[in-house]
Structures are given as C-alpha cells and as structure tokens.
Amino acid sequence: AVLVGKTMTYDSGGLSIKVGGGMKGMKRDMDGGAAVFGAMKAVASVLKPRRRVVALLCCAENAISDEAYRPDDVLEFANGVTVEVTNTDAEGRLVLADGLIWACEREDPDFIVDIATLTGGVVVALGSTYAGMWCDDDKLRGRVDSVSQVTGERVWRLPHHEEYRDMMRSPCADIVNSAPVREAHPIQGAAFLSYFVESGIPWCHLDIAGVH
C-alpha cells in the first residue's frame, strides 16, 4: 500500500499569482501530506499491519523567483508524459504526478491512495461536508467507504470518465496542467493525475480542499 500526500509548504500561485485574499491560509496547502504523515504514525504505533505501507510526501513551495516555472513551459515527466503548463497555480497535481510515478515504478503497490488539497472546485461542489473521491476500483473504493464510515471523514464519489481525460489534451504536449475552461474543475485534477498511474494498479484520489 502506498499513501501519497500533496505537501506544498506554501502556495502563492507562482507566476499565476493568487490575487485579493487568495493566499490566505495557503500555509495549509500541505495538509494532504500532513494527513499521510499522521496516518503513518498510526500505522507504525497502533495498527501495525502485516502488509508493507509506504508514504510519499511530495514537498515543494510554489513561489516566485528567477528560477520559477512559467506558463507555457512544457515539462516531461519520468513516465514520458509531457505537460504544457497553462497555470502555475495548478502546481499540486505536478508534484503529485512525481509521487504517483514513483509509487508505480518503485514500490510495486497493491494500491495507491493520494490525499491532496487540490482544487477550489471541490469546495464549490461539496462544501466542507465531504471530501471528493475518485476511484474506479470497486474493492478499493469499498475499503475507503468503510473507513470513511468508521472515522466520520466523509467522502463522496465523483465521476471519472474518458471525456474528462480528453479535456486535458494539449496542442503542443500530451496534456495541460489546467484546462482553459472552468467546467468540471475538480474532475480535471483527477483526470490529470490519472495519466501518471499505471493501468491495472488500484488508485484512489481524495481531494480534501474543503474538509482539511
């Protein structure tokens, strides 16, 4: 089992800088990683499972400098997928992509769960009552649902179909990191991440932006 946590120590939006009060609270953009860190403490000290559990914390700061990445950059990831950067404020999915690739290629996982404060769109959709969940594997989704009921950390499944993956296509790379339309915004994040998970590996994405 591999747990992957988005751990942005601060998110200014980068060159696509957040405006108005948009930066307020962005020191909490590491809460996905914090959740994974806390889960590992419970795994080590309380649960003590017989299976191997690995945590990957994808750590970075999204800031402006002379070395900052830019809109219009094209990045090539370790699995060969190329990404056109259209918005540097969609940075969390870029660091998570690295974590997902590592999990698939290095850890031989039975399943992967990633946890991230990924999108404002999931807050619009679900408020602070439910975290968004994307998981096409029935067995893993059932496990997450069961754990959700025990812990009171409520999750709500959102759709994940090929049409959403197609939304992310780029004219000059394989995909963009943020589609030019706002529709289905939290699903865009999940669709992007799906390009970095190997086929056949059960995977669950949890967007906790509204409940962290």
Side-chain angles (χ1 to χ4, degrees):
V2 180
L3 307 179
V4 182
K6 174 188 169 185
T7 317
M8 299 302 297
T9 57
Y10 193 79
D11 179 16
S12 72
L15 289 171
S16 305
I17 194 165
K18 295 178 184 291
V19 297
M23 287 188 224
K24 181 176 173 57
M26 283 299 106
K27 61 179 174 291
R28 296 286 305 276
D29 209 18
M30 39 66 71
D31 279 6
V36 167
F37 195 86
M40 290 302 288
K41 179 175 175 59
V43 166
S45 61
V46 179
L47 301 175
K48 300 180 181 179
R50 294 184 179 180
R51 73 165 66 235
R52 180 170 171 262
V53 182
V54 172
L56 301 174
L57 302 186
C58 305
C59 304
E61 181 179 70
N62 194 19
I64 295 174
S65 77
D66 59 347
E67 297 181 343
Y69 78 125
R70 300 151 297 192
D72 258 12
D73 280 352
V74 174
L75 310 177
E76 183 175 2
F77 283 78
N79 66 343
V81 173
T82 56
V83 175
E84 177 191 3
V85 176
T86 55
N87 183 351
T88 66
D89 198 20
E91 85 298 333
R93 60 198 67 183
L94 300 177
V95 297
L96 280 174
D98 279 336
L100 292 171
I101 293 168
W102 182 286
C104 293
E105 295 184 352
R106 304 287 188 96
E107 303 299 341
D108 189 25
D110 293 329
F111 62 84
I112 300 169
V113 177
D114 80 70
I115 307 175
T117 52
L118 202 68
T119 67
V122 80
V123 186
V124 175
L126 299 175
S128 59
T129 304
Y130 287 86
M133 174 178 66
W134 289 260
C135 184
D136 293 335
D137 184 86
D138 292 340
K139 184 176 180 180
L140 177 56
R141 189 172 64 254
R143 287 178 173 179
V144 174
D145 278 329
S146 296
V147 170
S148 169
Q149 292 173 25
V150 170
T151 62
E153 300 281 355
R154 290 171 287 199
V155 296
W156 191 267
R157 186 186 184 191
L158 289 165
H160 184 207
H161 299 287
E162 197 63 31
E163 292 91 333
Y164 297 115
R165 283 170 52 88
D166 292 340
M167 285 177 65
M168 308 309 292
R169 295 292 184 182
S170 164
C172 65
D174 293 321
I175 54 176
V176 294
N177 76 322
S178 182
V181 295
R182 292 293 293 175
E183 62 185 56
H185 193 242
I187 305 174
Q188 286 186 34
F192 177 91
L193 294 175
S194 71
Y195 283 89
F196 303 94
V197 180
E198 291 181 11
S199 177
I201 296 178
W203 164 60
C204 177
H205 164 56
L206 298 175
D207 189 339
I208 64 167
V211 299
H212 67 114

